[in-house]
Amino acid sequence: MSKLVLRGIEKRYGEVTAVAGIDLELREGEFVSLLGPSGCGKTTTLRMIAGFIEPTAGIIEMNGLMLSSPSGVLPPEKRQMSMIFQSYAVWPNMTVEQNVAFGLELRKLPREEVRRRVGQILEVVHMGHLAARYPAELSGGQQQRVALARAIVIQPQVLLLDEPLSNLDANLREEMRFEIRRLHDEFRITTVYVTHDQAEAMVTSDRIAVMNQGRIEQVADPHTLYNRPKTRFVAGFIGRTNFIEGDSTGDRIEFGSFALPRSVLDGAPASGKVTVSVRPQSMRLSRAQPGNGQPQVAVTIAERAYLGEFWDYVVAPANGAMKLRVTTPPLEIYQVGESAWLAFDPKQMTPIT
Amino acid sequence: MTAAVDNLATPAERPLARRFRLADPSMILWLAMIAILVFLILSPMVRLIVSSFQEPETGRLTLSNYAEAYGHARHLQALWNTLVFGAGVAVLAVIFGVPLAWAISRTDMPAKGFIRLMVFGAFIIPPYLGAIGWILLAGPNAGWLNKVWMALTGAESGLFNVYSMSGLIVVVAVTSFPYVFVFTAAALDLVSSEMEDAANILGAGTVRTTFRVTLPLVLPAIVGGLIISFLEAIALFGAPALIALPARFQVVSTQLWQFFEYPVRVEQAAAYAMPLLLITIFMFWLQRSVLGRRGYTTVSGKGGERRIIKLGPWRFVMLGYALFVCALAVFLPMLVLTQAAFAKAWGRGFSLDNLSLQNFHYILFEQTQAQNAIVNTFVYSGITAFAAIALSLAIAYVVTRKLVPWSNVLAFLCMAPFVIPGIVLAIGFYAAYAPPPLALYGTATILILAYTTRFLPIAYTSSAAGMRSINPEMEEAVRILGGGRLLAIRKVLAPLLKRNLAGAWILVFIPATRELSSAIFLVGPNTRVISVMLFDLSEEGNFEVLSALGMILLVATLIIAAVGFKAIGRDFMVRSS
């Protein structure tokens, strides 16, 4: 049975549609990210799961029980979830300990039990030595840890995170990504994580739902999402990519200077235009012409930039097709204007819609 | 697992959820708030307007109230006098306020802290107390300044006569120039020196730069302060009643008072109050559009260092002027009021054998009326402050959290009393609630209700600012962990707003203790407050007891303001304007 189910969830504000019909199911203990650009409806979706916003249509179920439907909505305090907010929302009038104990006290646990659990969770997030501090005396990262402890300690049915790392500096953000994943591996709480940062989503998530303009474009694990994007939006939003156009002739797909059997490109249509996503690092640049019938095209180097970890080239195919972006290791150096060969790997090419 | 979520609604329970939503608690809340605001604001104002068109006995529609109110030359003269008076005060307030603001904000004038303190002093002295001080200073023959003048020159008669239009203008201007000062200084504090440097580098000197660049940049602020001074002046009752009546001229507020002498003609008073109301609304609109104008956005608070202009020897001239203004506003009136408060008879001068504590003894221990007035003042003001804050906080909460539709209507109603002169509000309250069925005239209730309405905008401004400063996520964090809204308010919101609300309480309490213009129309024999009592004492000519009572009021105000400064920080008084 699914832990959390969203079916046809929709939110309209007058004429504006913020969320346009979302279907999503989470298994028990699963970590799913809602990933998308700002304004795509991901935070609205999260807040509808939490109960802060009422959907205009659709239903939300947890453990098979109705949380939200057009005829009635359970308020957030009855949903047995917890949430980590963008601002952390650590209460400045309470100490770290009081913040973390709050949810347990609401559940009327015995005082000793509260103390024990608070102590335990503060050790887990490495905040045990700061239990008596007030939030104003903590750094951003420490406040974040308090927020995490406060949310996890009550062992919620579902944990919700709303861009929790967007206010941290770059180093800390990277550290906290792994921290969040570590805590998930330890407690296995079903989690919905909202972010606009693809690296964050890929580090933390079991599955990622990429959202655009109020809809989910694709839900998949990070590897599939990167290597088999289904739509142009997903391919462009997750990592960098090139789009090349081909013509489907039934068995084969023609790309001008080369052609591929349709069976190689999984899901390509039997006729008409085909757009294919090709990642920059999936192509090989070489001076010598690649042999044994590899798909290839003659190119001229149009632009280049050295980014330390790799070279970033823009190459112009000799047949006048659209320019492509290619990356090479640091020692493969080409001059602007130089001619070269570009080889494709059909296994890393994905037709998109 | 299922046991843990047994309080979740199952699909089968949907009809129950539907029923629950019909009795939506937020609608009930909204209705309750609207009802209170209608009672406090809309009903008195509508009553005021309606009764201005009604025949007193029959209640039939008529224009005769207007004919009566505006049909007499002296009534029209009073209207004109009010405009002259307001304009005079506003201009003089600019002459006093702008140089001081400039000197304190931009120059190296000495003793800035002291001058700032004195301006604040001028701000908290009630205008009617200042007027009493000036009666003692510049009364035609007995006034101190006139006595000194006659002694020095051997002249037959005094130089000054406070009982005149110009006397009234000076007396009120010295208590209202702080408005211009506060506006102008705040704007000057935001002007970057780079603006002045740009003029200097093109060859303009300090004087030219100041008049061509600096002051024009803050012109909207000056105009804003000027308008506030004008509006404060025309709505004033105490000072004009003390000075204009003996001088045998009327302004609108004193004329309105006359309508309340026996036989009370509320309907005519209502008709006669209309210009005051309309002018105030219009001027506030004007002020907003002046202050909100674009093109002056250099005063944006960002960018550039600020350097102090070196005045050289002129800084002492500037200090002299500042001390002169402070003398008119604070030193001289306070000096003579203190003397009178501790004197057997104020006219006998500053000798030791004239010294006495008898006036204080009389007020505090002998005269029960004065004791009652003191108790009433602080009790009513305290209740008012609590009521205004409770109401405005509830409304600010509902408005900032958008809990109900049309929440802006609530905010608008809360701020509406801002543009209603106290005297007009009082007449509205009288018209609405003095007659049966409520028959509240002369009760403490009507005074507290009127005060609460009058100071609701102050409380609302503070409450709304406080609410806005708190991230809603603070509250949502409580709710997602299982706490209800009320728990969130009690455990998180209230503790976080504590300082804010304490500041708001003082901001309402202080003006409430000195409120005269609405009190004078609504007090009964048992509900007299200090301000009304002071006014009565001045009619009896008992200036010694009056001064002592005024001292008590001022000292109490100072103590509360000082506590506020300590607890909440220096700027809390300024925020209200």
Side-chain angles (χ1 to χ4, degrees):
Chain A
M1 186 176 72
S2 293
K3 177 76 179 176
L4 183 69
V5 179
L6 276 64
R7 214 169 290 144
I9 285 296
E10 203 176 284
K11 181 66 190 177
R12 284 187 307 270
Y13 295 100
E15 295 288 287
V16 185
T17 303
V19 174
I22 282 200
D23 296 295
L24 187 65
E25 297 199 11
L26 276 81
R27 293 186 306 276
E28 175 85 52
E30 198 180 15
F31 193 124
V32 172
S33 285
L34 303 178
L35 175 66
S38 59
C40 73
K42 55 190 190 299
T43 294
T44 308
T45 305
L46 190 78
R47 295 174 71 81
M48 286 193 285
I49 299 174
F52 292 120
I53 299 178
E54 291 188 19
T56 33
I59 59 162
I60 302 175
E61 284 177 13
M62 189 170 77
N63 301 325
L65 302 174
M66 189 72 68
L67 294 187
S68 175
S69 73
S71 61
V73 173
L74 208 62
E77 56 264 35
K78 297 263 172 67
R79 295 195 178 196
Q80 309 197 5
M81 299 180 175
S82 63
M83 182 161 171
I84 303 204
F85 297 89
Q86 216 174 94
S87 68
Y88 320 140
V90 176
W91 303 304
N93 54 318
M94 302 182 200
T95 62
V96 169
E97 204 171 3
Q98 290 167 333
N99 262 281
V100 178
F102 190 88
L104 296 174
E105 282 163 1
L106 274 178
R107 281 158 183 72
K108 306 250 187 301
L109 264 65
R111 189 177 298 255
E112 267 316 300
E113 177 70 5
V114 170
R115 279 182 71 87
R116 197 181 60 75
R117 287 215 211 166
V118 169
Q120 223 169 30
I121 196 75
L122 284 179
E123 287 309 322
V124 171
V125 298
H126 312 304
M127 289 290 295
H129 57 301
L130 299 174
R133 292 270 189 97
Y134 280 94
E137 301 159 341
L138 301 177
S139 69
Q142 290 168 331
Q143 291 191 27
Q144 182 70 76
R145 287 167 189 277
V146 176
L148 275 167
R150 186 177 70 184
I152 291 172
V153 76
I154 61 161
Q155 298 171 351
Q157 295 290 319
V158 174
L159 176 64
L160 308 170
L161 296 99
D162 182 12
E163 305 236 12
L165 306 184
S166 57
N167 288 329
L168 298 177
D169 62 52
N171 288 334
L172 206 51
R173 206 178 303 162
E174 201 149 324
E175 183 192 325
M176 289 305 293
R177 277 177 204 162
F178 289 99
E179 182 75 9
I180 287 172
R181 183 65 214 189
R182 179 178 74 81
L183 290 171
H184 183 255
D185 289 340
E186 190 167 342
F187 294 99
R188 287 276 148 210
I189 299 169
T190 312
T191 303
V192 184
Y193 187 106
V194 159
T195 181
H196 64 269
D197 182 327
Q198 50 149 319
E200 230 170 271
M202 292 180 89
V203 168
T204 54
S205 312
D206 298 323
R207 286 192 299 152
I208 298 173
V210 180
M211 289 186 67
N212 183 34
Q213 298 185 337
R215 295 178 190 284
I216 292 182
E217 298 249 339
Q218 187 175 0
V219 193
D221 63 274
H223 192 269
T224 310
L225 209 57
Y226 188 86
N227 292 299
R228 290 279 173 259
K230 281 206 178 115
T231 67
R232 178 180 275 263
F233 178 82
V234 172
F237 192 75
I238 309 280
R240 303 189 310 159
T241 198
N242 298 287
F243 295 111
I244 58 175
E245 303 277 338
D247 286 304
S248 181
T249 59
D251 284 349
R252 298 176 64 75
I253 295 167
E254 300 284 345
F255 290 99
S257 56
F258 65 91
L260 296 172
R262 188 163 74 91
S263 56
V264 175
L265 295 175
D266 191 22
S271 65
K273 289 269 179 217
V274 181
T275 306
V276 174
S277 159
V278 191
R279 300 288 182 190
Q281 74 282 7
S282 73
M283 296 173 279
R284 282 214 14 100
L285 207 55
S286 60
R287 289 202 166 80
Q289 183 167 11
N292 54 11
Q294 233 184 317
Q296 54 187 268
V297 59
V299 297
T300 314
I301 309 294
E303 289 170 37
R304 66 171 193 178
Y306 180 52
L307 298 173
E309 289 175 24
F310 53 84
W311 278 96
D312 196 11
Y313 293 103
V314 175
V315 299
N319 61 8
M322 232 170 28
K323 287 180 182 168
L324 298 172
R325 200 171 278 275
V326 188
T327 57
T328 73
L331 293 182
E332 294 182 16
I333 304 170
Y334 298 83
Q335 305 300 326
V336 170
E338 205 180 330
S339 295
W341 290 94
L342 186 66
F344 295 87
D345 174 9
K347 288 201 295 292
Q348 297 190 56
M349 296 169 72
T350 317
I352 55 164
T353 52
Chain B
M1 192 52 63
T2 36
V5 288
D6 54 9
N7 60 347
L8 302 181
T10 61
E13 284 178 289
R14 275 190 214 167
L16 191 118
R18 184 188 300 265
R19 211 178 312 143
F20 182 69
R21 283 185 90 199
L22 276 179
D24 193 342
S26 69
M27 271 329 282
I28 298 167
L29 185 71
W30 190 83
L31 283 174
M33 285 174 176
I34 274 287
I36 294 173
L37 290 178
V38 163
F39 181 81
L40 286 178
I41 297 150
L42 222 51
S43 155
M45 286 296 102
V46 168
R47 213 43 240 147
L48 178 84
I49 294 165
V50 168
S51 64
S52 77
F53 291 108
Q54 275 182 333
E55 270 179 29
E57 302 301 326
T58 61
R60 272 194 314 222
L61 285 185
T62 172
L63 283 174
S64 67
N65 297 318
Y66 284 86
E68 188 60 31
Y70 300 102
H72 299 273
R74 59 196 164 86
H75 292 176
L76 294 176
Q77 181 65 38
L79 263 175
W80 173 247
N81 288 345
T82 285
L83 294 178
V84 172
F85 165 54
V89 167
V91 169
L92 204 54
V94 167
I95 293 171
F96 289 151
V98 172
L100 262 61
W102 177 74
I104 284 183
S105 174
R106 307 294 294 148
T107 76
D108 61 346
M109 182 183 77
K112 280 189 204 174
F114 175 74
I115 300 295
R116 217 180 245 282
L117 196 66
M118 287 304 111
V119 174
F120 176 70
F123 189 60
I124 63 166
I125 295 174
Y128 50 81
L129 216 52
I132 306 274
W134 275 95
I135 289 171
L136 301 183
L137 281 167
N141 289 310
W144 285 109
L145 292 179
N146 287 327
K147 280 205 237 175
V148 169
W149 170 258
M150 287 187 279
L152 285 178
T153 62
E156 287 290 303
S157 62
L159 187 60
F160 307 103
N161 181 7
V162 74
Y163 296 117
S164 62
M165 177 59 97
S166 49
L168 180 61
I169 287 173
V170 172
V171 166
V172 174
V174 296
T175 62
S176 78
F177 84 91
Y179 291 107
V180 178
F181 174 90
V182 166
F183 273 68
T184 311
L188 281 171
D189 282 346
L190 295 177
V191 176
S192 152
S193 291
E194 285 171 11
M195 290 288 166
E196 290 166 353
D197 293 348
N200 289 147
I201 208 84
L202 294 173
T206 303
V207 174
R208 186 191 286 261
T209 304
T210 300
F211 280 95
R212 294 291 301 276
V213 177
T214 316
L215 290 181
L217 272 176
V218 297
L219 191 63
I222 296 174
V223 173
L226 183 120
I227 290 174
I228 298 281
S229 295
F230 175 86
L231 292 176
E232 283 290 316
I234 64 171
L236 223 48
F237 171 74
L242 290 168
I243 289 170
L245 292 183
R248 295 174 185 284
F249 69 91
Q250 298 272 9
V251 292
V252 169
S253 56
T254 56
Q255 183 60 51
L256 283 171
W257 174 236
Q258 310 261 301
F259 285 122
F260 271 72
E261 285 182 345
Y262 193 82
V264 177
R265 288 156 289 165
V266 186
E267 292 77 12
Q268 287 175 31
Y272 195 66
M274 289 302 150
L276 211 52
L277 186 62
L278 295 177
I279 288 173
T280 308
I281 292 170
F282 170 74
M283 294 295 258
F284 269 115
W285 171 81
L286 194 69
Q287 188 220 12
R288 277 185 72 128
S289 52
V290 166
L291 283 180
R293 226 169 97 190
R294 294 200 175 267
Y296 287 100
T297 41
T298 38
V299 193
S300 66
K302 275 204 192 131
E305 60 161 344
R306 297 183 58 252
R307 264 176 296 101
I308 293 292
I309 297 168
K310 293 214 164 32
L311 287 180
W314 287 98
R315 67 186 196 274
F316 294 106
V317 178
M318 203 58 236
L319 178 64
Y321 182 71
L323 288 174
F324 167 72
V325 173
C326 293
L328 297 185
V330 184
F331 309 147
L332 291 176
M334 281 305 107
L335 180 71
V336 294
L337 280 174
T338 314
Q339 188 266 349
F342 290 99
K344 290 174 185 148
W346 69 274
R348 279 207 260 154
F350 291 81
S351 60
L352 270 182
D353 65 332
N354 193 23
L355 208 59
S356 159
L357 286 174
Q358 176 54 35
N359 301 321
F360 288 95
H361 190 265
Y362 177 75
I363 292 168
L364 294 174
F365 303 108
E366 293 170 29
Q367 222 239 24
T368 50
Q369 268 199 337
Q371 292 164 15
N372 288 339
I374 292 171
V375 172
N376 286 346
T377 299
F378 292 112
V379 170
Y380 298 168
S381 303
I383 296 174
T384 295
F386 281 118
I389 286 167
L391 181 61
S392 66
L393 192 65
I395 290 168
Y397 183 83
V398 166
V399 171
T400 49
R401 295 287 179 269
K402 299 195 168 53
L403 288 189
V404 295
W406 305 102
S407 57
N408 285 338
V409 175
L410 296 173
F412 176 80
L413 278 176
C414 269
M415 291 307 290
F418 195 56
V419 298
I420 304 170
I423 203 165
V424 177
L425 187 75
I427 296 170
F429 260 81
Y430 187 98
Y433 301 129
L438 290 179
L440 291 177
Y441 179 73
T443 61
T445 312
I446 198 170
L447 268 180
I448 291 169
L449 289 176
Y451 282 13
T452 304
T453 309
R454 182 139 159 71
F455 302 117
L456 199 58
I458 299 178
Y460 185 76
T461 308
S462 292
S463 302
M467 285 301 309
R468 273 195 300 272
S469 73
I470 291 175
N471 193 327
E473 290 184 349
M474 288 286 177
E475 238 179 293
E476 289 167 357
V478 173
R479 300 194 61 203
I480 196 75
L481 287 175
R485 231 178 236 292
L486 289 176
L487 187 82
I489 291 172
R490 196 157 50 83
K491 287 274 193 177
V492 173
L493 215 56
L496 293 181
L497 282 174
K498 222 162 37 187
R499 276 159 65 95
N500 223 296
L501 295 182
W505 192 91
I506 292 172
L507 279 177
V508 173
F509 183 81
I510 289 180
T513 56
R514 22 185 285 190
E515 174 66 11
L516 173 64
S517 49
S518 56
I520 196 91
F521 289 91
L522 300 172
V523 288
N526 299 320
T527 59
R528 297 214 303 175
V529 289
I530 295 179
S531 56
V532 174
M533 176 126 195
L534 286 173
F535 184 68
D536 292 347
L537 285 169
S538 78
E539 288 193 327
E540 294 163 20
N542 193 344
F543 288 115
E544 293 81 8
V545 171
L546 187 165
S547 300
L549 191 56
M551 285 288 129
I552 291 171
L553 178 63
L554 264 184
V555 169
T557 308
L558 276 176
I559 290 171
I560 290 157
V563 170
F565 270 74
K566 257 227 150 14
I568 300 146
R570 195 174 67 91
D571 287 336
F572 85 98
M573 288 293 276
V574 178
R575 266 207 323 247
S576 66
S577 51

